[in-house]
Amino acid sequence: MSTAVLVKCVVWDLDNTLLRGTYLESLPDRPPADPAISGLLAELGRRGIVHAIASRNPPEAAEYAAQATGCEFVAAECGWGRKSEALTRIAAGLDISVDALAFVDDDPYERAEVGAALPGVRVLSPEDAAEAVGWPEFSPAVVTEEGRRRAGLYRQRHRRQQAEQAFTGSHEDFLRACQTEVTIAPADPADVPRLHELSERTSQFNSAGQALPAESIAALLGAPATDVMTVRLRDRFADDGLVGACVIDWRQDRVAAVPLLMMSCRAIGRGVIDSLLTWLAGRAARRGAAAVQVPCPVSERSVPLRLALASAGFRACPDQAAGPGRTVFRCELAAPRPVLPDWVTGPGEA
């Protein structure tokens, strides 16, 4: 079972890191890209790890670096503020934890500033970066087609965000205008690699708080009184593919227990987690359950998931069986439940 938190995005400095030289001091000529670093960009990209820039340079320097390296950067913070603040903005813009970032800079002062302000970030020199490709944090056990398309999906995400800023209606109206489609369906064996990848990469929205081995996921598909459900997402901007899942244990005490609920950060803010929780409660009620329970770790990292559960009507309740550092979120099914949006389909829905 994986214990290291996987790096989702590497943030690179430009001068004497991505580039062989200093951008502003090289004008009108421009410093070439470092070929070894360009190779690292490509290798990490094949592993589903995206790249961003944080540099004390004008914005056009980032545009040049993209051309020189042939890399598609999902974010660029160019300016003269603190690098730690730039990394915080990059993580927020990508909807990932700062702990899922790595930072590469040739300047020891910049590395020390980021390390002190953001201790969860892997801080590396360019020389360290060459070795880091072999570390567990940079080596996902499996990379699926969704993972290889991650940089492009972030680019489409940026287009979606720009469209929403110009939209004058409600958020739900915007999702409908985007032709959003959420499909909830039983998992099959072909989904196992992606489900394992998702369990490795989700941290803020993973109720298990850890990765689930592919063998365990495969075993769940045939387990009695257990459903493994997948969630797929698409709209007019992109087909995000399989972005979430949940495991449901149908207990004999009329409780639907959910030992695993996970969701990609790319789906957050697009009505997907709310729709899954609404469908889950409706499905449980139709099967005669009195409540749905989701054990969840209590940590700073799990705050977004706990907020989503609370918003969907789940309430924390003491349960020693949940284990240390965990609590159970329970939703009673006696009250009327919200209706699923018409752009969500799932088993049991008309």
Side-chain angles (χ1 to χ4, degrees):
M1 182 174 293
S2 175
T3 57
V5 177
L6 287 174
V7 169
K8 296 182 179 181
C9 176
V10 182
V11 184
W12 299 84
D13 174 46
L14 292 181
D15 296 335
N16 300 306
T17 301
L18 283 179
L19 304 179
R20 279 188 165 177
T22 303
Y23 180 82
L24 288 176
E25 294 179 0
S26 301
L27 298 177
D29 296 326
R30 293 176 172 179
D34 186 306
I37 296 295
S38 296
L40 292 179
L41 294 172
E43 173 57 30
L44 293 173
R46 286 190 287 269
R47 301 181 188 187
I49 297 172
V50 298
H51 301 287
I53 289 172
S55 176
R56 297 185 187 280
N57 271 297
E60 54 265 28
E63 298 173 6
Y64 167 70
Q67 296 172 358
T69 61
C71 179
E72 182 176 17
F73 295 97
V74 297
E77 287 282 339
C78 291
W80 282 263
R82 294 179 179 177
K83 292 285 184 76
S84 61
E85 295 174 352
L87 265 67
T88 299
R89 289 191 295 270
I90 289 171
L94 299 179
D95 274 330
I96 62 177
S97 166
V98 292
D99 292 356
L101 298 178
F103 173 61
V104 185
D105 197 308
D106 70 301
D107 189 330
Y109 172 82
E110 300 288 8
R111 297 199 301 269
E113 190 273 324
V114 169
L118 304 173
V121 175
R122 288 100 173 143
V123 178
L124 308 170
S125 69
E127 294 75 21
D128 293 332
E131 298 181 8
V133 293
W135 297 355
E137 298 94 323
F138 296 85
S139 305
V142 63
V143 181
T144 64
E145 179 59 28
E146 285 94 339
R148 284 185 286 270
R149 294 191 297 121
R150 192 163 286 117
L153 291 172
Y154 273 117
R155 184 180 66 250
Q156 302 300 337
R157 180 178 183 270
H158 180 64
R159 291 179 53 206
R160 185 182 298 107
Q161 289 173 332
Q162 290 180 317
E164 184 169 14
Q165 290 174 359
F167 192 77
T168 56
S170 68
H171 182 60
E172 185 163 327
D173 287 341
F174 174 72
L175 293 176
R176 186 171 287 105
C178 288
Q179 302 169 20
T180 301
E181 298 177 17
V182 175
T183 304
I184 302 169
D188 61 42
D191 296 322
V192 170
R194 172 56 180 163
L195 291 172
H196 173 54
E197 179 184 49
L198 197 61
S199 78
E200 278 201 317
R201 297 188 61 89
T202 51
S203 57
Q204 297 180 88
F205 282 85
N206 184 325
S207 66
Q210 59 186 5
L212 197 63
E215 298 80 5
S216 299
I217 296 172
L220 287 171
L221 296 184
T226 300
D227 287 339
V228 181
M229 308 301 298
T230 61
V231 185
R232 287 177 166 81
L233 171 65
R234 65 182 300 166
D235 63 14
R236 65 182 174 89
F237 292 97
D239 184 347
D240 288 83
L242 202 164
V243 297
C246 67
V247 176
I248 314 169
D249 289 337
W250 301 104
R251 296 183 352 196
Q252 295 184 356
D253 59 358
R254 297 184 65 216
V255 171
V258 183
L260 175 64
L261 185 150
M262 56 185 178
M263 189 69 61
S264 167
C265 60
R266 294 198 312 274
I268 304 309
R270 297 169 63 186
V272 185
I273 185 70
D274 299 331
S275 296
L276 176 59
L277 292 172
T278 297
W279 175 86
L280 181 58
R283 172 76 162 178
R286 288 190 294 273
R287 287 194 53 150
V292 178
Q293 290 189 173
V294 183
C296 182
V298 179
S299 66
E300 183 177 351
R301 188 182 299 277
S302 70
V303 168
L305 174 57
R306 288 185 281 138
L307 288 175
L309 289 167
S311 178
F314 287 73
R315 297 294 177 259
C317 58
D319 188 337
Q320 293 182 349
R326 298 174 63 84
T327 191
V328 168
F329 281 78
R330 182 181 175 99
C331 178
E332 304 292 342
L333 301 178
R337 301 300 306 166
V339 177
L340 276 174
D342 55 11
W343 36 266
V344 180
T345 59
E349 301 298 325

